[in-house]
Amino acid sequence: GIEMAATWVRALPCAAIAAEIERSLDFLSHTGRDIAPGHRSLRAVFERSWQLLAAPEQSALARLAIFRGGWDREAAEAVAAATPVLLAALVDAALVRRIASGERYVLHEVVRQYAAERLQNDGATSRATAARHAAFFCERLYAHVAALQSRDQLAAFPRLRPDLDNIWAAWEWAVQERDLATLRRMSRGVVTICEDLGALRLGMQLFGAAALALTDVAVGDRETRETLGHILGRYGYFLGRCGKFGDAEEQLAAALTMLPANERAERGQTLVHLALLDYQQGRYQAALDRLEEALQLLADRDDQFYVGLALCFAAMATLAQGDRTRAEEYLERGEALWRANGYPRGLALTLGA
């Protein structure tokens, strides 16, 4: 591979060569007759390496191409049926690389491209592997949501960070497949990660794509319509956070029309998002009215995170109205909640109100 790449140095800078290699397996080739057929192109080298693998190793390598940015042993076995024995064989074959920490594995992008082609040649296996990948990272994200919104946030986020590319890929699969259960289950975690990263535009794009995918089919299907309500609530939130207040209000209002009365937590969260928009635009009484309604909806849902936000925003709105006494009552309730919950950003937001 290095020798084939070196022949391009006279025509392209090294960075361009690297980019072309990652873009296409067929970029590197050699037409010299003195070169053995198995070494005349990068694809030929991979074909030879593939043929040397046992059938279970070939299958595992193909399925491992579904990962983005690497994986750990638990994910390898659950998603790709790649046991520790198979992983070790692929490491020995120099097709899989174990990262220095020893806890994660990765495919070089060019190897991943070749393995992905092999996976795509078997449509049924490709679809099943993608579904397992999405299900696995949906559950991994969901299992961390409570920790991400509590005193354990600083410990939980680093556990998820190595798999962010896998999480985004799982979300994209759910959007493409219109998998309503996966979209609902991942939504709150995706919001939380985007917030913690400060990736507000990414959040807007992810939920915007989901909203677009569901809009056409929501008219005639109740479950899709209700799920779209969940999505629009988050999409509107990110639109507002990106300063698009008018669009945000439109989407949040639409979300409320789609969420049924028994979706009390979702309705409460949407009202909190609308109240924040009211506050940002100087409509303090409207914000308070929404927040009081939200607090009633959230009261029996044990959602400390959104109750804490509602109390903080209510304090800010009453303070803006000049009612310091009432603002202090909201702040005391909010501070007590955040100290019990331990979420550092929530406590900082309340103390800074």
Side-chain angles (χ1 to χ4, degrees):
I2 293 175
E3 291 179 357
M4 284 185 279
T7 65
W8 281 96
V9 170
R10 67 183 184 276
L12 294 172
C14 292
I17 296 171
E20 290 294 337
I21 292 171
E22 290 196 353
R23 188 174 298 120
S24 173
L25 286 172
D26 298 311
F27 176 70
L28 292 184
S29 61
H30 200 299
T31 58
R33 294 186 178 181
D34 57 332
I35 305 297
H39 296 276
R40 286 180 180 170
S41 70
L42 197 56
R43 180 179 295 279
V45 172
F46 286 140
E47 292 283 359
R48 176 61 178 162
S49 297
W50 177 267
Q51 292 165 8
L52 293 173
L53 297 175
E57 295 164 358
Q58 291 177 345
S59 298
L61 179 61
R63 290 190 294 265
L64 289 170
I66 201 70
F67 291 106
R68 300 292 184 271
W71 64 86
D72 57 29
R73 283 179 293 175
E74 181 187 5
E77 195 148 8
V79 174
T83 64
V85 171
L86 288 172
L87 281 177
L90 293 171
V91 169
D92 290 343
L95 293 168
V96 168
R97 181 166 62 88
R98 190 173 69 176
I99 297 174
S101 66
E103 298 178 358
R104 290 185 66 82
Y105 300 81
V106 69
L107 291 174
H108 187 283
E109 178 56 24
V110 181
V111 177
R112 196 196 69 78
Q113 283 183 34
Y114 178 81
E117 289 181 7
R118 288 288 185 170
L119 179 62
Q120 289 163 7
N121 287 339
D122 184 343
T125 299
S126 179
R127 290 188 294 273
T129 304
R132 285 196 302 273
H133 178 272
F136 181 87
F137 286 103
C138 170
E139 291 307 311
R140 176 165 284 187
L141 175 61
Y142 185 81
H144 284 79
V145 169
L148 287 170
Q149 296 181 339
S150 74
R151 63 173 46 84
D152 298 322
Q153 186 243 3
L154 295 179
F157 190 73
R159 293 198 294 269
L160 282 178
R161 181 180 283 276
D163 280 319
L164 287 182
D165 287 341
N166 284 310
I167 290 169
W168 306 144
W171 178 265
E172 290 169 5
W173 176 89
V175 169
Q176 180 179 337
E177 297 296 320
R178 295 188 176 97
D179 188 304
L180 305 181
T182 299
L183 288 171
R184 284 195 184 210
R185 201 160 174 82
M186 291 186 73
S187 287
R188 188 154 177 172
V190 169
V191 171
T192 305
I193 289 176
C194 288
E195 266 290 342
D196 288 346
L197 288 172
L200 303 179
R201 290 195 174 278
L202 174 62
M204 183 175 67
Q205 292 164 3
L206 292 173
F207 284 97
L212 184 63
L214 297 184
T215 297
D216 290 343
V217 294
V219 176
D221 184 82
R222 179 184 58 80
E223 186 180 2
T224 302
R225 179 178 169 83
E226 292 177 4
T227 302
L228 181 57
H230 284 241
I231 297 300
L232 291 180
R234 273 78 176 185
Y235 182 37
Y237 169 74
F238 280 113
L239 284 167
R241 293 283 278 129
C242 291
K244 301 177 182 293
F245 294 157
D247 292 339
E249 288 184 87
E250 181 181 346
Q251 299 303 324
L252 290 168
L256 284 177
T257 68
M258 297 178 185
L259 293 168
N262 62 353
E263 292 263 17
R264 293 174 62 85
E266 285 295 324
R267 294 184 66 84
Q269 293 165 25
T270 303
L271 285 168
V272 171
H273 296 160
L274 276 166
L276 177 58
L277 289 174
D278 286 329
Y279 172 80
Q280 290 171 318
Q281 296 173 86
R283 301 192 296 260
Y284 304 127
Q285 188 56 50
L288 280 169
D289 292 343
R290 293 191 198 275
L291 290 167
E292 286 295 344
E293 183 180 355
L295 286 169
Q296 292 177 13
L297 290 169
L298 295 167
D300 60 347
R301 289 298 181 267
D302 193 29
D303 192 338
Q304 292 183 325
F305 183 83
Y306 268 93
V307 170
L309 287 181
L311 291 170
C312 178
F313 296 154
M316 292 162 58
T318 50
L319 193 60
Q321 289 181 319
D323 190 343
R324 190 170 189 83
T325 300
R326 191 179 178 195
E328 287 177 354
E329 292 174 358
Y330 282 123
L331 285 173
E332 287 176 5
R333 291 168 60 190
E335 181 180 351
L337 186 151
W338 287 124
R339 288 195 183 281
N341 171 271
Y343 181 57
R345 290 183 62 186
L347 184 58
L349 182 66
T350 300
L351 294 177

